[in-house]
Amino acid sequence: MLLKLILRRRRLLVALVLAICTGLLSIFINVQFSTAELENLSGLPPLQAHPLPRTLEQWQDSTGRGDYFSQVKPTNLGYLVWSEFPLKVYVERPLNAAGTSASSRRFQQWVEAVLQPVQEWSVYLPLVVVEQRENADIAILRSRPPLRPSFKRDTGELQLPPARSAETHYEFYIRQAAGTPAVLYHRCNILLSPDLSKEYIKAAGRHELGHALGIWGHSPLETDALYFSQVRNPPPISPRDINTLKRVYQQPTRLGWPL
Ligand SMILES: [Zn+2]
């Protein structure tokens, strides 16, 4: 039960980050909208599909194993489709990269384990690892997902869910470069616990990256990386995972289009 991967937020809060960059001066305005407010925003781009990334266009599944696209849920702004490649992936690093203490070594091992699934997914969508978190599309942070207590509706009791070892969030923001129209984008944060073994860090990273890349749902088969629960022998990325990813990237979205 360590890796209970619960990914959907009960109440979607959308951070629209308006970045006004003028030379050296950057002003960031964070505005949070509820789902209802977001739907009422005027001037959202229409739902449109982006061209299929070449890596996915080239993917042909000779096994005919199908997909689990029916389990993937679109967001209020359409499917979580990235449109500008390579995607910038930031992996948290120890402050002292040359540290030789036991905790530094554990941190380094965590980084090495996380980089493997980044490499695996980059076969299917171009990814580049960046050194700075700022401007990264996907940030993978060495952190335990917070416990979120909830109230049982019928009894009013406080419930503490089981600890999770990984989770992925997304947020929306608007970016405008000088002389170009404002564009609606998303970015993802993946929290990946430091308490896992190397194999489970890889498995959890593979699973969460699948979500961050657009598979916002779970497979019912344990032979897929996006299976909803942790398994004893974590599978590699499967043809069904890629078939599903390819279908996601053929779907319409408001993300990546100008306002
Ligand atoms: Zn999941």
Side-chain angles (χ1 to χ4, degrees), residues 5-7 207-208 211 217-218 226-228:
L5 302 150
I6 300 169
L7 295 141
H207 179 107
E208 299 302 327
H211 288 314
H218 285 121
L226 275 287
Y227 182 56
F228 63 83

Coordinates of all heavy atoms in Angstrom, one line a residue, residues 5-7 207-208 211 217-218 226-228, ligand 1:
L5 N -1.6 5.5 -5.5 CA -1.4 6.6 -6.4 C -2.8 7.3 -6.6 O -3.5 6.8 -7.5 CB -0.8 6.2 -7.6 CG 0.6 5.5 -7.4 CD1 0.9 4.5 -8.4 CD2 1.7 6.5 -7.3
I6 N -3.0 8.3 -5.9 CA -4.3 9.0 -6.1 C -4.0 10.3 -6.7 O -3.2 11.1 -6.2 CB -5.0 9.2 -4.7 CG1 -5.3 7.9 -4.1 CG2 -6.3 10.0 -4.9 CD1 -5.7 8.0 -2.6
L7 N -4.5 10.5 -7.9 CA -4.0 11.6 -8.7 C -5.0 12.8 -8.9 O -4.6 13.9 -9.2 CB -3.5 11.1 -10.0 CG -2.4 10.2 -9.7 CD1 -2.4 8.9 -10.5 CD2 -1.1 10.9 -9.8
H207 N 5.6 5.5 -13.6 CA 4.1 5.6 -13.5 C 3.7 7.1 -13.4 O 2.9 7.6 -14.2 CB 3.6 4.9 -12.2 CG 2.2 5.0 -11.9 ND1 1.3 3.9 -12.0 CD2 1.4 6.0 -11.5 CE1 0.1 4.3 -11.8 NE2 0.1 5.6 -11.4
E208 N 4.4 7.9 -12.6 CA 4.0 9.3 -12.5 C 4.3 10.1 -13.7 O 3.6 11.0 -14.1 CB 4.6 10.0 -11.2 CG 4.3 9.3 -9.9 CD 2.8 9.3 -9.6 OE1 2.1 10.3 -10.0 OE2 2.3 8.4 -9.0
H211 N 1.6 9.9 -16.1 CA 0.5 10.8 -15.9 C 0.9 12.2 -16.4 O 0.1 12.9 -17.0 CB 0.3 10.9 -14.4 CG -0.4 9.7 -13.8 ND1 -1.5 9.2 -14.3 CD2 -0.2 9.0 -12.6 CE1 -1.9 8.1 -13.6 NE2 -1.1 8.0 -12.6
G217 N -5.1 8.9 -16.1 CA -6.0 7.8 -15.7 C -5.2 6.5 -15.5 O -3.9 6.6 -15.5
H218 N -5.8 5.4 -15.2 CA -5.1 4.2 -14.8 C -5.5 3.0 -15.7 O -6.6 2.9 -16.1 CB -5.3 3.9 -13.3 CG -4.6 4.8 -12.4 ND1 -5.2 5.5 -11.5 CD2 -3.3 5.0 -12.3 CE1 -4.3 6.2 -10.8 NE2 -3.1 5.9 -11.3
L226 N 1.0 2.1 -16.0 CA 0.0 3.0 -15.4 C -1.1 2.2 -14.7 O -2.2 2.7 -14.4 CB -0.6 3.9 -16.5 CG 0.1 5.2 -16.8 CD1 0.0 6.2 -15.7 CD2 1.6 5.0 -17.1
Y227 N -0.8 0.9 -14.3 CA -1.7 0.1 -13.5 C -2.0 0.9 -12.2 O -1.1 1.6 -11.6 CB -1.1 -1.2 -13.2 CG -1.9 -2.2 -12.3 CD1 -3.2 -2.5 -12.8 CD2 -1.4 -2.7 -11.2 CE1 -4.0 -3.4 -12.0 CE2 -2.2 -3.6 -10.4 CZ -3.5 -3.9 -10.9 OH -4.2 -4.8 -10.1
F228 N -3.2 0.8 -11.7 CA -3.6 1.7 -10.6 C -3.0 1.4 -9.2 O -3.0 2.2 -8.3 CB -5.1 1.7 -10.4 CG -5.7 0.5 -10.1 CD1 -5.8 0.1 -8.7 CD2 -6.3 -0.4 -11.0 CE1 -6.4 -1.2 -8.4 CE2 -6.9 -1.6 -10.7 CZ -6.9 -2.0 -9.3
Ligands
ZN1 ZN -1.4 6.8 -10.9

